[in-house]
Amino acid sequence: MSRAERLNPGAAYADRLCAVMDSVPRPMWLRAPDLSIISVNRAYARIVGAADQVSAAVMGLELSIGDYGWEKGELARRVRRTGVEQTESMGIVVDGKRRLFQISEAPLADGWIAGWADEMTAVDALQSSLVAHMEAHQEVLEHLRAGVAVFDAERRLRFFNRAYARMWGLDVDWLSTNPLLPDILEILRSKRRLPEVTDFAEFRRRIERRFQSLLGSQEGLVHLPDGRCFREIAAPHPLGGLLFVWEDVTDRLALESSYNTLINVQRGVLDQLADGVAAFGTDGRVTVFNPVFQTLLGLENGALDAGVHITDLLSQIKEKFRPKAEWGGFQNQAVLGVTDRQASRHRLFAEDGHILDVAFAPLSDASVLMSVRDITDTYSVEKALLDRNAALEEASRLKTDFLANASYELRTPLTSISGFAELLALPHSGPLNDTQKDYLAGITEASATLALLIDSILEVSTGGEDLQRSDVAEIALGPLIESVAMVMRTQLANNGVELRIEYDPVRVQGPPTVQAEESRLRQLVYNLLSCAARHNRGSAEIVLTCSYSPDTIKLSVWLRSDWQWLDRQLIENELNLTLIQRLSALHHGRMILQNRAETGVVLSCMLPRRALSFPAAGGMDGVFPAKAV
């Protein structure tokens, strides 16, 4: 220390104090009792735009003087008046930029006042950013469907969204007053919107204890008396207190319950199926199967688990089926059916005699269903039916051959009989008396009738052929019916039966015409009348009714028959019915049998007027219509 410093230590101390103040980066100043600035540091002089500290002090430049309307030394006068430190924030333009400073002044001894300023620009920016972030966060929470509420450390509601008020049925204006959590619980209790508990006080204390003990998020379900169920999440809030989130999961739980019930029902149905089924995922592994699946494939219980690959499954059952030479082809097709989702069907023969039908079918969820059905009994019945059908076909062929041969054998003597009868009737054979002439006429008529019957039998035995356009002619139905009726009248008259032909008086204006083959149409009419004569049961009259429309011809006779059932076997046992059915089909028509209560059966033939305008009828279609009224 120099001699001058030892003689005047106060001046040296003041210089050091000024040096210390100049080293501080924030503005500092010292006021005299009259509130004038007598000393500032370098940072102060730079902010107020002075050349140096002395100039700033001499000129009395104030930080608070400017566009803010503060009077000179206002904060200092407040310090002198109150005797305590005063702090105020204000914006000051420094280097052309506005900055925020926190100005503080504190009283010293003997009326002196010390002042300093801290720049708060960065802090203010952070606070503004935080406020904006919190507002944006609250805006997001406001649009959530889940209810959100934030309580501070004092259990007071600080934030809520409208979903929270809607879910709990609380008034928005009342919630905006920031009520305490216990008050909210009391309101909810009065409205029965809290879980039913026996000790509400303990329930409330348990909720409030979370504010001291909850360190992490806590999740649970809240079941309300009205049937709703909320998923509740409670977690500590970063700014203190707790954050609560409630999500209404009533519909989701109901959906999950319905889904689980459906799965259980489907599982029960699968377990009760007589067929074995298994589903394979896209990786070729079993995802689900029923017990019958294991049983039919000869696997023991527990031998098949979910996750087994199709190749491993086939390896397990390979030795249980035959023939071995064909197993490789089946295995390749089965693997392709599962991996490439190709539909296929296979038949497996087990070593124990069982026969399995195996099918692969792709499902809508990209998986593949493998079904196994035991068809041992069905296969045996099918084989027996095929054998029986082959035997019946052979018997039918033999019967047809017999009828054909018998008919041809009958035709030869019949031709001789009719030929000799015609020779005897000629004049050069000698004179004949009336009795002889009647006998020859009877022989000729009987021969013609028998020839028609033989032709019909041949038609049945050979199966007939479709009509050709060259065989079809426009035929007047009236003369044809009369010519056949003339032959039948002689036979019926011997039995005291009269044959009458009627035309529908409403529809027919004279006998209609039809396109048909004359010989076969004549056979058809003859067999209709023969069937009516055979099943007359003592009636003195047989009536053949002919009616028609622009498209069809209908020939009908009444059968006084005691038939109880009209079925296929009846037609097969009645030769006339078989002939009528076959001849009707050859003309692209059909035979109809209708049972009339207490009056017998109506036998009808429905024929198209244009023989080739309709497809040929087949089988027994339309032979037995609904019961006629």
Side-chain angles (χ1 to χ4, degrees), residues 93-112:
V93 178
V94 179
D95 298 331
K97 297 180 180 179
R98 184 187 176 191
R99 298 183 181 180
L100 181 66
F101 284 87
Q102 181 176 305
I103 300 176
S104 301
E105 295 197 49
L108 300 177
D110 300 329
W112 291 75

Side-chain angles (χ1 to χ4, degrees), residues 378-395:
T378 304
Y379 183 82
S380 300
V381 172
E382 179 184 0
K383 187 175 183 303
L385 290 176
L386 290 175
D387 294 342
R388 182 178 180 183
N389 185 65
L392 291 175
E393 289 181 352
E394 179 64 19

Side-chain angles (χ1 to χ4, degrees), residues 324-387:
K324 306 302 181 184
E326 300 179 1
W327 181 260
F330 165 73
Q331 183 172 357
N332 293 334
Q333 291 294 325
V335 173
L336 288 176
V338 172
T339 56
D340 293 350
R341 306 184 74 245
Q342 295 181 3
S344 60
R345 184 175 294 275
H346 312 274
R347 182 162 292 179
L348 299 181
F349 296 86
E351 294 288 352
D352 59 2
H354 284 80
I355 303 172
L356 303 180
D357 191 8
V358 181
F360 294 89
L363 302 179
S364 58
D365 61 349
S367 59
V368 176
L369 178 69
M370 176 181 177
S371 62
V372 181
R373 173 176 295 181
D374 188 346
I375 61 168
T376 305
D377 296 337
T378 304
Y379 183 82
S380 300
V381 172
E382 179 184 0
K383 187 175 183 303
L385 290 176
L386 290 175
D387 294 342

Side-chain angles (χ1 to χ4, degrees), residues 134-431:
M134 292 179 63
E135 290 177 351
H137 182 65
Q138 291 177 358
E139 182 68 20
V140 172
L141 295 179
E142 185 64 36
H143 290 84
L144 292 180
R145 298 182 62 183
V148 180
V150 178
F151 292 86
D152 60 16
E154 302 301 325
R155 285 75 164 168
R156 188 172 294 279
L157 181 64
R158 290 303 178 186
F159 171 80
F160 68 94
N161 62 357
R162 294 189 178 275
Y164 168 77
R166 183 178 63 254
M167 292 173 64
W168 294 104
L170 298 173
D171 183 63
V172 175
D173 295 334
W174 180 73
L175 291 175
S176 300
T177 62
N178 305 115
L180 292 171
L181 177 60
D183 297 336
I184 297 177
L185 293 177
E186 287 293 341
I187 293 294
L188 293 177
R189 181 191 181 192
S190 65
K191 295 183 177 182
R192 296 191 73 248
R193 290 173 183 169
L194 287 178
E196 299 286 355
V197 294
T198 57
D199 190 349
F200 177 74
E202 176 60 26
F203 172 77
R204 185 175 59 187
R205 286 192 295 269
R206 188 167 64 250
I207 294 178
E208 292 180 347
R209 279 197 295 267
R210 294 180 178 178
F211 286 85
Q212 289 84 24
S213 60
L214 192 61
L215 299 178
S217 63
Q218 186 180 71
E219 183 177 338
L221 294 178
V222 179
H223 299 274
L224 302 185
D226 59 2
R228 292 183 299 167
C229 181
F230 293 164
R231 175 173 170 259
E232 180 187 72
I233 300 176
H237 195 272
L239 301 180
L242 291 179
L243 167 69
F244 290 91
V245 179
W246 291 276
E247 180 186 1
D248 192 344
V249 295
T250 307
D251 295 338
R252 189 175 71 183
L253 292 179
L255 183 61
E256 289 180 359
S257 177
S258 300
Y259 175 77
N260 292 333
T261 301
L262 178 62
I263 291 298
N264 292 332
V265 170
Q266 291 178 345
R267 168 63 66 180
V269 171
L270 288 178
D271 291 345
Q272 296 301 320
L273 288 178
D275 294 348
V277 293
F280 293 84
T282 55
D283 57 354
R285 299 185 180 276
V286 177
T287 57
V288 64
F289 60 92
N290 63 348
V292 182
F293 184 79
Q294 294 186 98
T295 304
L296 292 179
L297 293 181
L299 299 174
E300 298 180 358
N301 291 333
L304 181 62
D305 296 323
V308 175
H309 197 270
I310 179 63
T311 54
D312 298 332
L313 173 63
L314 296 176
S315 298
Q316 295 183 44
I317 64 175
K318 177 179 180 180
E319 299 301 327
K320 303 179 183 296
F321 295 92
R322 56 179 174 83
K324 306 302 181 184
E326 300 179 1
W327 181 260
F330 165 73
Q331 183 172 357
N332 293 334
Q333 291 294 325
V335 173
L336 288 176
V338 172
T339 56
D340 293 350
R341 306 184 74 245
Q342 295 181 3
S344 60
R345 184 175 294 275
H346 312 274
R347 182 162 292 179
L348 299 181
F349 296 86
E351 294 288 352
D352 59 2
H354 284 80
I355 303 172
L356 303 180
D357 191 8
V358 181
F360 294 89
L363 302 179
S364 58
D365 61 349
S367 59
V368 176
L369 178 69
M370 176 181 177
S371 62
V372 181
R373 173 176 295 181
D374 188 346
I375 61 168
T376 305
D377 296 337
T378 304
Y379 183 82
S380 300
V381 172
E382 179 184 0
K383 187 175 183 303
L385 290 176
L386 290 175
D387 294 342
R388 182 178 180 183
N389 185 65
L392 291 175
E393 289 181 352
E394 179 64 19
S396 176
R397 186 186 64 79
L398 294 175
K399 181 177 69 174
T400 301
D401 291 345
F402 170 76
L403 289 175
N405 293 332
S407 299
Y408 281 118
E409 293 296 331
L410 289 173
R411 181 180 292 276
T412 300
L414 179 61
T415 303
S416 300
I417 293 173
S418 60
F420 285 129
E422 292 176 357
L423 289 174
L424 291 176
L426 294 176
H428 61 76
S429 297

